[in-house]
Amino acid sequence: MNNDFILKVDGLTKTYANFNAVDNLSFSVKAGDIVGFLGPNGAGKSTTMRMLTGFIKPSSGTANIGGFDICKDCRQVQKIVGYLPESSPLYLEMTPLTFLHYRAKLRGFNKQQRDKRITELFELIGITDHAKVPISQLSKGYRQRVALADAILHRPKLVILDEPTSGLDPAQITDFRNLIRNLVPETSVLLSTHILQEVEAICTKVVIIKDGRLLVSSTPQNLLKNSALSEPIVVECQNINNQTIDALKQINGIKSVTVDTVQEWFYLAIYTTADDIRTRIFQIITENGGIIRELHRKELTLENIVISTLEGGHK
């Protein structure tokens, strides 16, 4: 394996009966990368993570982590991988101090090693003042800090995080992003998330899957640079129906149209490779009885590209 890569996934597949939860998936993670692992619910992200961490076996294909095969060398892989699942595995009756001592002892740390490493983690994760508070009394944000400390207790080469900021408030999300940044370069990160602003803020690479298959593996910068999309045209309007949306999609150069609603207002994001077609969009909406409050171009973001990629399907 190329020493630059901490993880290489090669044709990884998981089949249940006649259903491929993960289908011939291949991608890589370089040392020091923070990789955003993206896809809709049911795309196969959690299944992939469970295979990489040895919780389930692949039906075919494999992956190599730090020079070890996940199928042949599962025990060695688990020694160099940290895993934080979506539901944090914590003992709520314990304090962070007793919990991490217990976990370190399971990993074979002697007392001196435990004391030293846990002190380091409390400072890194920012839970020193809460070391002796029962975990059951901690906020969701602090519980996630404890769970992250557990995941990186043994200084893994790769830490796998499955929706780590789910359920956190905006301030807690910002704090947790900073914690993830601080893991690098000692540890590489594979991060599953639905928060695309999170990916833009901290990720050095993006892997997008759908229906268990790879759609995109690239850096955020290259995705923005090479996107076939122009800046989306955003329309705030009323009285929109499926006929209007279908008519907009028929405009030459339109790649996709997404629709959000807030009470009686519709918010359209129209992605196009054509020249400026705002006049044509205005005509179609008004001719079909729509009432426009605002129509403007919006700066192209990674979120726009990911949504368009997922709507476009497989490569």
Side-chain angles (χ1 to χ4, degrees), residues 12 22 25 27 35-38 44-56 65 81 83-86 159-164 190-193:
L12 202 61
V22 177
L25 183 62
F27 66 92
V35 177
F37 194 37
L38 310 179
K45 302 187 299 298
S46 292
T47 301
T48 300
M49 291 177 161
R50 288 172 186 147
M51 286 190 283
L52 295 179
T53 51
F55 284 88
I56 58 177
I65 303 178
V81 171
Y83 180 40
L84 176 54
E86 188 172 359
V159 62
I160 297 175
L161 309 175
D162 193 356
E163 301 288 344
L190 182 64
L191 167 68
S192 169
T193 181

Side-chain angles (χ1 to χ4, degrees), residues 6 21 84 116 128 165 173 180 184 192 226 262 279 285 296 301:
I6 189 63
L84 176 54
K116 183 175 184 297
T128 302
T165 58
I173 289 173
I180 294 171
V184 177
S192 169
N226 299 323
V262 178
T279 300
I285 292 175
H296 65 277
T301 66

Side-chain angles (χ1 to χ4, degrees), residues 111-122:
K111 187 178 186 307
Q112 183 179 2
Q113 291 170 331
R114 293 198 304 269
D115 290 342
K116 183 175 184 297
R117 181 56 176 159
I118 290 170
T119 299
E120 292 172 348
L121 286 172
F122 281 167

